[in-house]
Amino acid sequence: MPDPLEPSDSSLPTDAHRPYLAGLVLAGRKVVVVGGGHVAQRRVPAFLAAGARVSVVSPEVTPAIEGLSGELSLVLRGFEDADLDGAWYVVAATDDPEVNARVVAAAERRHTFCVRADDALGGTAWTPAAGHHGSVTIGVLGNREPHKSAALRDEIVTALRDGHLHAVDAHDRTPGVVLVGGGPGEPELATVAARHALASADVVVADRLAPRELLDELGPHVELVDVAKLPRGRSATQERINEVIVERARAGKRVVRFKGGDNFVFGRGYEEVLACLEADVPVTVVPGLTSAIAVPARAGIPVTHRGVAHEFTVISGHLPPGHPESLVAWDAVARMRGTVVLLMAVENAPAIAEALVTGGRSATTPVAVVVDGTMPTERTVLTTLADLAADLVAHEVSPPAIIVVGEVVAVARPAHYGRG
Ligand code: SAH
């Protein structure tokens, strides 16, 4: 059934009064939704999020509403006027116009506002197209054109999110450090929370693998520290990063430490947490979509598959097997039957493949190397443990690349492995 957010009936006299847009404080208050179909399904979560005591009255409900039965009261029968007793707000959303009319009439007698889903002009309240950004809620009641309202709402929320509209109050701007995972590279794969954090930043300390396009969206007042350009060698660089984030936060800035993937997956994120804790600087974490899972996924390769892989193991290949500082039990990994996902492993891949085969994994085990995952230059090289070393050279593979080892690769590319 149609779900008008607001009246779309152009017969509304042009001199009709404008609706009055209010923010209802529904926490702990009874809201009755009559009808258990798709309209109800779309409205109920917002009422629950507002803390309302929701009652759904309907002989039948969708499985989604049934799934919410722990959070609301379900009255599984036809509507009776008394269902509205004690209600502060009502939605008439059955597919029977007569029932909806009865609900509106019963609400009217009780001086309770009532939205009528099938005939918005027949009700006493309209649902605005609503959106949220930080602590701000946007509500749009358009010129009787619900689709335009929804589109305008989307535009406003997107503009706030991308920083084209500035709602200074929408963001938490407390000084401190926020560790933000930016996802595997493509800006669309950064979370909403990551974008909010970037929009709130005074300083952004970014890595080479952090989604660069999102940095273009930063306002001119934001200081951008490119870690790739910090002087000195590898471990000293981490110390310098710790110093930079702590210094800036102590100076009252909100510092976003922005990385590719997830900061806690081979991202040295917790070293930064410890540096902040030691310096008494507040630190919070926004998890990101790790490339370990997202990059294979975007190449069409699942890390698990029923009946094929009951585990996946994510390993850093920055040290070769047998290296005195290695913490990986490669012999144990070789005995596992599931998927092995290797990061930072291009250089040591030949030694790793050899250790896996020596440890018992078949030399014919399918391997996919996904280079520049989610970026315009993304490509996938399909091979096996036996041929991995030669194929990395033949295809001129250079980092960043994810190496996926296991039967899941053949599940995704059966033709290549002669299984189709
Ligand atoms: N914290 C990151 C991983 C950092 S380690 C995360 O959670 O994704 C860096 C390694 O990640 C690279 O050497 C490469 O193996 C992998 N990687 C990150 N982004 C990648 C991408 N877009 N495509 C392929 N590999 C990627």
Side-chain angles (χ1 to χ4, degrees), residues 184-185 209 260-263 265-267 289-292 295 342-345 370-375 399-402:
L209 281 178
D262 184 285
N263 299 43
V265 179
F266 307 136
L289 199 55
T290 179
S291 65
V295 165
L342 300 165
L343 275 64
M344 296 186 279
V370 188
V371 190
D372 293 348
T374 79
M375 295 182 229
I402 298 271

mmCIF file of all heavy atoms in Angstrom, residues 184-185 209 260-263 265-267 289-292 295 342-345 370-375 399-402, ligand 1:
data_model
loop_
_atom_site.group_PDB
_atom_site.id
_atom_site.type_symbol
_atom_site.label_atom_id
_atom_site.label_comp_id
_atom_site.label_asym_id
_atom_site.label_seq_id
_atom_site.Cartn_x
_atom_site.Cartn_y
_atom_site.Cartn_z
ATOM 1 N N PRO A 184 38.616 0.276 3.099
ATOM 2 C CA PRO A 184 39.688 -0.196 2.231
ATOM 3 C C PRO A 184 40.156 0.790 1.161
ATOM 4 O O PRO A 184 41.156 0.515 0.498
ATOM 5 C CB PRO A 184 39.071 -1.433 1.574
ATOM 6 C CG PRO A 184 37.614 -1.206 1.641
ATOM 7 C CD PRO A 184 37.360 -0.437 2.902
ATOM 8 N N GLY A 185 39.481 1.887 0.947
ATOM 9 C CA GLY A 185 39.982 2.840 -0.039
ATOM 10 C C GLY A 185 38.895 3.646 -0.704
ATOM 11 O O GLY A 185 38.945 4.871 -0.741
ATOM 12 N N LEU A 209 47.435 4.835 3.180
ATOM 13 C CA LEU A 209 46.326 4.002 2.718
ATOM 14 C C LEU A 209 44.945 4.547 3.115
ATOM 15 O O LEU A 209 43.928 3.966 2.783
ATOM 16 C CB LEU A 209 46.477 2.565 3.246
ATOM 17 C CG LEU A 209 47.482 1.673 2.503
ATOM 18 C CD1 LEU A 209 47.575 0.297 3.170
ATOM 19 C CD2 LEU A 209 47.112 1.506 1.035
ATOM 20 N N GLY A 260 43.657 3.582 6.739
ATOM 21 C CA GLY A 260 42.904 2.661 5.900
ATOM 22 C C GLY A 260 42.414 1.479 6.715
ATOM 23 O O GLY A 260 43.026 1.111 7.719
ATOM 24 N N GLY A 261 41.309 0.881 6.279
ATOM 25 C CA GLY A 261 40.791 -0.320 6.946
ATOM 26 C C GLY A 261 40.363 -0.030 8.363
ATOM 27 O O GLY A 261 39.661 0.945 8.621
ATOM 28 N N ASP A 262 40.790 -0.870 9.276
ATOM 29 C CA ASP A 262 40.482 -0.724 10.694
ATOM 30 C C ASP A 262 41.791 -0.486 11.436
ATOM 31 O O ASP A 262 42.772 -1.180 11.198
ATOM 32 C CB ASP A 262 39.811 -2.003 11.198
ATOM 33 C CG ASP A 262 39.385 -1.875 12.646
ATOM 34 O OD1 ASP A 262 40.254 -1.926 13.538
ATOM 35 O OD2 ASP A 262 38.172 -1.714 12.879
ATOM 36 N N ASN A 263 41.793 0.509 12.349
ATOM 37 C CA ASN A 263 43.049 0.896 13.003
ATOM 38 C C ASN A 263 43.654 -0.202 13.876
ATOM 39 O O ASN A 263 44.841 -0.182 14.154
ATOM 40 C CB ASN A 263 42.821 2.130 13.882
ATOM 41 C CG ASN A 263 42.346 3.310 13.083
ATOM 42 O OD1 ASN A 263 41.500 3.173 12.213
ATOM 43 N ND2 ASN A 263 42.891 4.487 13.341
ATOM 44 N N VAL A 265 43.603 -3.453 13.091
ATOM 45 C CA VAL A 265 44.056 -4.606 12.305
ATOM 46 C C VAL A 265 45.373 -4.200 11.641
ATOM 47 O O VAL A 265 45.375 -3.496 10.632
ATOM 48 C CB VAL A 265 43.015 -5.025 11.254
ATOM 49 C CG1 VAL A 265 43.528 -6.203 10.428
ATOM 50 C CG2 VAL A 265 41.701 -5.393 11.919
ATOM 51 N N PHE A 266 46.466 -4.605 12.217
ATOM 52 C CA PHE A 266 47.800 -4.253 11.730
ATOM 53 C C PHE A 266 47.932 -2.752 11.466
ATOM 54 O O PHE A 266 48.567 -2.340 10.506
ATOM 55 C CB PHE A 266 48.138 -5.046 10.456
ATOM 56 C CG PHE A 266 47.960 -6.521 10.622
ATOM 57 C CD1 PHE A 266 47.328 -7.281 9.642
ATOM 58 C CD2 PHE A 266 48.410 -7.169 11.766
ATOM 59 C CE1 PHE A 266 47.157 -8.648 9.811
ATOM 60 C CE2 PHE A 266 48.246 -8.535 11.940
ATOM 61 C CZ PHE A 266 47.609 -9.280 10.959
ATOM 62 N N GLY A 267 47.309 -1.976 12.336
ATOM 63 C CA GLY A 267 47.338 -0.531 12.123
ATOM 64 C C GLY A 267 48.082 0.206 13.226
ATOM 65 O O GLY A 267 48.120 1.437 13.230
ATOM 66 N N LEU A 289 35.985 -0.657 8.149
ATOM 67 C CA LEU A 289 35.815 -1.903 7.406
ATOM 68 C C LEU A 289 37.219 -2.373 7.020
ATOM 69 O O LEU A 289 37.897 -1.719 6.235
ATOM 70 C CB LEU A 289 35.013 -1.560 6.158
ATOM 71 C CG LEU A 289 34.282 -2.633 5.387
ATOM 72 C CD1 LEU A 289 33.351 -3.399 6.295
ATOM 73 C CD2 LEU A 289 33.487 -1.969 4.272
ATOM 74 N N THR A 290 37.650 -3.492 7.573
ATOM 75 C CA THR A 290 39.021 -3.903 7.307
ATOM 76 C C THR A 290 39.180 -4.455 5.893
ATOM 77 O O THR A 290 38.309 -5.164 5.383
ATOM 78 C CB THR A 290 39.533 -4.928 8.338
ATOM 79 O OG1 THR A 290 40.879 -5.290 7.992
ATOM 80 C CG2 THR A 290 38.675 -6.192 8.368
ATOM 81 N N SER A 291 40.318 -4.149 5.276
ATOM 82 C CA SER A 291 40.580 -4.646 3.923
ATOM 83 C C SER A 291 40.669 -6.167 3.910
ATOM 84 O O SER A 291 40.445 -6.793 2.881
ATOM 85 C CB SER A 291 41.879 -4.046 3.388
ATOM 86 O OG SER A 291 42.980 -4.485 4.156
ATOM 87 N N ALA A 292 40.976 -6.760 5.071
ATOM 88 C CA ALA A 292 41.132 -8.217 5.130
ATOM 89 C C ALA A 292 39.861 -8.933 4.678
ATOM 90 O O ALA A 292 39.922 -10.024 4.106
ATOM 91 C CB ALA A 292 41.496 -8.647 6.550
ATOM 92 N N VAL A 295 38.211 -6.305 0.919
ATOM 93 C CA VAL A 295 38.862 -6.382 -0.397
ATOM 94 C C VAL A 295 38.550 -7.706 -1.100
ATOM 95 O O VAL A 295 38.147 -7.703 -2.269
ATOM 96 C CB VAL A 295 40.375 -6.085 -0.285
ATOM 97 C CG1 VAL A 295 41.126 -6.514 -1.530
ATOM 98 C CG2 VAL A 295 40.587 -4.594 -0.020
ATOM 99 N N LEU A 342 46.264 -13.024 3.811
ATOM 100 C CA LEU A 342 47.581 -12.461 4.110
ATOM 101 C C LEU A 342 47.631 -10.980 3.758
ATOM 102 O O LEU A 342 47.285 -10.583 2.640
ATOM 103 C CB LEU A 342 48.655 -13.194 3.299
ATOM 104 C CG LEU A 342 48.771 -14.702 3.544
ATOM 105 C CD1 LEU A 342 49.594 -15.356 2.447
ATOM 106 C CD2 LEU A 342 49.402 -14.957 4.915
ATOM 107 N N LEU A 343 48.048 -10.163 4.723
ATOM 108 C CA LEU A 343 48.257 -8.736 4.487
ATOM 109 C C LEU A 343 49.760 -8.458 4.521
ATOM 110 O O LEU A 343 50.512 -9.185 5.189
ATOM 111 C CB LEU A 343 47.554 -7.908 5.574
ATOM 112 C CG LEU A 343 46.061 -7.601 5.336
ATOM 113 C CD1 LEU A 343 45.232 -8.869 5.338
ATOM 114 C CD2 LEU A 343 45.534 -6.632 6.392
ATOM 115 N N MET A 344 50.156 -7.406 3.872
ATOM 116 C CA MET A 344 51.570 -6.987 3.853
ATOM 117 C C MET A 344 52.483 -8.158 3.486
ATOM 118 O O MET A 344 53.552 -8.332 4.071
ATOM 119 C CB MET A 344 51.978 -6.446 5.239
ATOM 120 C CG MET A 344 51.227 -5.194 5.611
ATOM 121 S SD MET A 344 51.821 -4.456 7.148
ATOM 122 C CE MET A 344 50.987 -5.470 8.337
ATOM 123 N N ALA A 345 52.055 -8.967 2.542
ATOM 124 C CA ALA A 345 52.740 -10.236 2.309
ATOM 125 C C ALA A 345 53.357 -10.375 0.921
ATOM 126 O O ALA A 345 53.879 -11.446 0.592
ATOM 127 C CB ALA A 345 51.761 -11.387 2.564
ATOM 128 N N VAL A 370 44.569 -9.909 -4.637
ATOM 129 C CA VAL A 370 43.765 -8.746 -5.030
ATOM 130 C C VAL A 370 44.602 -7.489 -4.783
ATOM 131 O O VAL A 370 44.946 -7.173 -3.649
ATOM 132 C CB VAL A 370 42.440 -8.676 -4.248
ATOM 133 C CG1 VAL A 370 41.555 -7.575 -4.828
ATOM 134 C CG2 VAL A 370 41.726 -10.017 -4.262
ATOM 135 N N VAL A 371 44.920 -6.814 -5.877
ATOM 136 C CA VAL A 371 45.793 -5.645 -5.826
ATOM 137 C C VAL A 371 44.942 -4.374 -5.893
ATOM 138 O O VAL A 371 43.963 -4.319 -6.647
ATOM 139 C CB VAL A 371 46.773 -5.656 -7.035
ATOM 140 C CG1 VAL A 371 47.841 -4.585 -6.869
ATOM 141 C CG2 VAL A 371 47.406 -7.030 -7.203
ATOM 142 N N ASP A 372 45.293 -3.366 -5.089
ATOM 143 C CA ASP A 372 44.579 -2.069 -5.097
ATOM 144 C C ASP A 372 43.067 -2.258 -4.926
ATOM 145 O O ASP A 372 42.264 -1.647 -5.654
ATOM 146 C CB ASP A 372 44.828 -1.306 -6.408
ATOM 147 C CG ASP A 372 46.274 -0.858 -6.553
ATOM 148 O OD1 ASP A 372 47.020 -0.931 -5.557
ATOM 149 O OD2 ASP A 372 46.659 -0.456 -7.670
ATOM 150 N N GLY A 373 42.698 -3.094 -3.972
ATOM 151 C CA GLY A 373 41.279 -3.415 -3.769
ATOM 152 C C GLY A 373 40.403 -2.190 -3.604
ATOM 153 O O GLY A 373 40.783 -1.250 -2.913
ATOM 154 N N THR A 374 39.253 -2.191 -4.244
ATOM 155 C CA THR A 374 38.210 -1.138 -4.258
ATOM 156 C C THR A 374 38.664 0.158 -4.932
ATOM 157 O O THR A 374 37.935 1.127 -4.953
ATOM 158 C CB THR A 374 37.654 -0.777 -2.851
ATOM 159 O OG1 THR A 374 38.565 0.097 -2.178
ATOM 160 C CG2 THR A 374 37.383 -2.012 -2.001
ATOM 161 N N MET A 375 39.870 0.152 -5.477
ATOM 162 C CA MET A 375 40.320 1.371 -6.159
ATOM 163 C C MET A 375 40.152 1.199 -7.672
ATOM 164 O O MET A 375 39.964 0.090 -8.145
ATOM 165 C CB MET A 375 41.767 1.649 -5.787
ATOM 166 C CG MET A 375 41.864 1.951 -4.292
ATOM 167 S SD MET A 375 43.525 2.344 -3.783
ATOM 168 C CE MET A 375 43.744 1.308 -2.363
ATOM 169 N N PRO A 399 52.484 -3.870 -3.664
ATOM 170 C CA PRO A 399 51.515 -3.526 -2.626
ATOM 171 C C PRO A 399 50.750 -2.249 -2.976
ATOM 172 O O PRO A 399 51.293 -1.436 -3.740
ATOM 173 C CB PRO A 399 52.378 -3.310 -1.379
ATOM 174 C CG PRO A 399 53.712 -3.921 -1.697
ATOM 175 C CD PRO A 399 53.877 -3.836 -3.174
ATOM 176 N N PRO A 400 49.564 -2.034 -2.411
ATOM 177 C CA PRO A 400 48.896 -2.925 -1.463
ATOM 178 C C PRO A 400 48.185 -4.084 -2.155
ATOM 179 O O PRO A 400 47.567 -3.888 -3.197
ATOM 180 C CB PRO A 400 47.864 -2.017 -0.790
ATOM 181 C CG PRO A 400 47.510 -1.008 -1.849
ATOM 182 C CD PRO A 400 48.766 -0.811 -2.662
ATOM 183 N N ALA A 401 48.302 -5.245 -1.562
ATOM 184 C CA ALA A 401 47.599 -6.414 -2.085
ATOM 185 C C ALA A 401 47.186 -7.324 -0.932
ATOM 186 O O ALA A 401 47.875 -7.391 0.086
ATOM 187 C CB ALA A 401 48.497 -7.177 -3.051
ATOM 188 N N ILE A 402 46.072 -7.990 -1.117
ATOM 189 C CA ILE A 402 45.592 -8.993 -0.165
ATOM 190 C C ILE A 402 45.743 -10.343 -0.854
ATOM 191 O O ILE A 402 45.333 -10.491 -2.014
ATOM 192 C CB ILE A 402 44.099 -8.777 0.157
ATOM 193 C CG1 ILE A 402 43.870 -7.412 0.807
ATOM 194 C CG2 ILE A 402 43.542 -9.925 0.986
ATOM 195 C CD1 ILE A 402 43.969 -7.369 2.289
HETATM 196 N N1 SAH B 1 44.501 -1.565 8.971
HETATM 197 C C1 SAH B 1 44.424 -2.029 7.607
HETATM 198 C C2 SAH B 1 45.573 -2.916 7.247
HETATM 199 C C3 SAH B 1 46.908 -2.235 7.381
HETATM 200 S S1 SAH B 1 48.249 -3.238 6.886
HETATM 201 C C4 SAH B 1 43.089 -2.736 7.394
HETATM 202 O O1 SAH B 1 42.379 -3.064 8.353
HETATM 203 O O2 SAH B 1 42.729 -2.924 6.230
HETATM 204 C C5 SAH B 1 48.444 -2.769 5.211
HETATM 205 C C6 SAH B 1 48.065 -3.896 4.306
HETATM 206 O O3 SAH B 1 46.677 -3.971 4.175
HETATM 207 C C7 SAH B 1 48.575 -3.774 2.904
HETATM 208 O O4 SAH B 1 49.915 -4.199 2.803
HETATM 209 C C8 SAH B 1 47.654 -4.723 2.177
HETATM 210 O O5 SAH B 1 47.998 -6.064 2.398
HETATM 211 C C9 SAH B 1 46.374 -4.485 2.909
HETATM 212 N N2 SAH B 1 45.500 -3.510 2.223
HETATM 213 C C10 SAH B 1 44.981 -2.398 2.755
HETATM 214 N N3 SAH B 1 44.191 -1.772 1.878
HETATM 215 C C11 SAH B 1 44.207 -2.512 0.760
HETATM 216 C C12 SAH B 1 43.585 -2.399 -0.521
HETATM 217 N N4 SAH B 1 42.768 -1.381 -0.810
HETATM 218 N N5 SAH B 1 43.822 -3.357 -1.445
HETATM 219 C C13 SAH B 1 44.623 -4.395 -1.157
HETATM 220 N N6 SAH B 1 45.237 -4.548 0.021
HETATM 221 C C14 SAH B 1 45.035 -3.625 0.970
#
